[in-house]
């Protein structure tokens, strides 16, 4: 199954307490599109809103009708990226007064009246208890939501199904990201509802796979540096030798996120050569 799966169902009911409507925004970054989840046995809480694509509200309305529901009770967001927050405006036009909350952190231009939601500030709905878990790394304001009744984790973009998470240069942080993975690992979820891709039934296995992937990459970078490569482009050529060159810019960003973490760990140092690429040295 490819990452951008055109046959990914637009709506689904993965459990008694959880419904899913697809954001209809497929792409390289989003896979089949952003999942938006309706949580609760009635008056559901909506987690994320998609990108604001035309057509989303139609599918959303069909799903509500199918379940015999009139409206969502409130919206809670995993983070500020447009493919999660972009549907707020249309939803509020369709459902006037709909409350919206997220962890407000380094935010600008949030939809008016967005309420702050903090780590541990439990959100209750019909038959559901959602615990927000601050999980920075992909984005500094990122919250996962732990559904206590199912021991399930709404992982936002911390964990995806079918791709790895991006650690953006400005707002991302790989050290935070690794800490966030370990934090959700400690919650021992049984199932993961990711913001992109299908439900993950083996939560423990997937979290470990994500941790191992980053540790392997870190090891490779240290080896490559030890082997004499000094700049990110040189490292990418070696580590990503079997990846098409058009993806090397993205790969370089990933290597940079690792080097920044290794710098904080005191294991490498950076010599800025701007505009030429920095030279990195093992300590
Ligand atoms: Zn994101």
């Amino acid at each position: 199954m490819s990452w951008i799966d055109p046959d990914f169902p637009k709506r689904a009911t993965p459990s008694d307490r959880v419904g899913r409507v697809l954001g209809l925004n497929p792409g390289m970054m989003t896979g089949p599109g952003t999942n938006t989840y309706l949580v609760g046995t009635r008056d559901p809480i909506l987690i994320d809103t998609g990108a604001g694509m035309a057509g989303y509200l139609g599918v959303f309305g069909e799903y509500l009708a199918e379940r015999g529901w009139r409206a969502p009770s409130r919206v809670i967001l995993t983070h500020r990226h447009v493919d999660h927050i972009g549907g707020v405006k249309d939803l509020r036009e369709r459902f006037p007064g709909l409350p919206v909350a997220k962890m407000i952190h380094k935010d600008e231009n949030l939809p008016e009246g967005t309420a702050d939601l903090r780590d541990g500030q439990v959100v209750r709905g019909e038959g559901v208890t959602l615990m927000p878990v601050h999980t920075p790394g992909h984005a500094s304001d990122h919250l996962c939501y732990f559904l206590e009744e199912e021991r399930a984790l709404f992982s936002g973009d911390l964990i995806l199904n079918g791709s790895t998470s991006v650690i953006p240069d400005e707002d991302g942080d790989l050290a935070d990201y690794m800490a966030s993975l370990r934090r959700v690992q400690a919650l021992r979820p049984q199932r993961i509802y990711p913001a992109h891709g299908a439900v993950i039934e083996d939560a423990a296995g997937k979290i470990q796979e994500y941790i191992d992937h980053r540790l392997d990459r870190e090891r490779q970078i240290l080896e490559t540096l030890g082997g004499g490569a000094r700049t990110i482009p040189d490292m990418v050529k070696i580590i990503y030798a079997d990846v098409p060159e058009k993806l090397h810019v993205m790969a370089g960003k990933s290597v940079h996120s690792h080097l920044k973490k290794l710098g904080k760990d005191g294991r490498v140092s950076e010599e800025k050569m701007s505009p030429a690429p920095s030279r990195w040295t093992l300590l």
Side-chain angles (χ1 to χ4, degrees), residues 16 29 82 84 127 164 197 228-229 234:
D16 293 349
M29 303 298 287
V82 67
H84 299 259
T164 55
D234 287 350

Side-chain angles (χ1 to χ4, degrees), residues 37-118:
Y37 290 105
L38 288 150
V39 188
T41 51
R42 63 183 167 85
D43 305 321
I45 298 161
L46 177 62
I47 300 180
D48 284 340
T49 65
M53 302 303 285
Y56 170 73
L57 271 190
V59 181
F60 189 81
E62 284 165 19
Y63 186 75
L64 287 183
E66 187 182 311
R67 299 295 303 266
W69 293 336
R70 284 218 328 271
S73 60
R74 60 189 296 184
V75 171
I76 56 178
L77 300 166
T78 57
H79 63 300
R80 69 173 84 85
H81 290 163
V82 67
D83 60 316
H84 299 259
I85 202 171
V88 166
K89 187 170 169 288
D90 290 350
L91 281 159
R92 278 180 153 177
E93 276 169 22
R94 171 77 175 72
F95 305 104
L98 181 66
V100 175
K102 74 180 288 299
M103 180 174 175
I104 298 180
H105 179 72
K106 295 187 189 170
D107 279 309
E108 288 164 28
N109 306 318
L110 286 179
E112 200 179 319
T114 301
D116 192 17
L117 184 60
R118 313 306 291 188

Side-chain angles (χ1 to χ4, degrees), residues 225 229-235 256 259 269-281:
L225 269 173
R230 298 290 300 278
T231 67
I232 290 175
D234 287 350
M235 288 180 238
H256 189 220
L259 288 167
S269 71
E270 175 181 12
E271 189 186 346
K272 289 200 161 59
M273 310 289 288
S274 180
S278 292
R279 293 173 66 81
W280 297 83
T281 308

Side-chain angles (χ1 to χ4, degrees), residues 190-219:
Q190 290 176 351
R191 169 183 252 210
I192 294 173
Y193 295 107
H196 305 276
V199 176
I200 297 161
E201 297 294 351
D202 177 13
K206 183 59 106 179
I207 296 169
Q208 193 60 53
E209 178 192 317
Y210 261 54
I211 292 171
D212 290 346
H213 169 75
R214 300 288 175 170
L215 292 177
D216 284 350
R217 190 63 86 214
E218 181 170 290
R219 223 171 283 128

Side-chain angles (χ1 to χ4, degrees), residues 172-198:
D173 184 302
L174 186 61
D176 287 351
Y177 183 76
M178 295 298 285
S180 292
L181 286 176
R182 294 194 192 283
R183 182 157 187 219
V184 299
Q185 186 176 46
L187 295 172
R188 298 183 170 278
Q190 290 176 351
R191 169 183 252 210
I192 294 173
Y193 295 107
H196 305 276

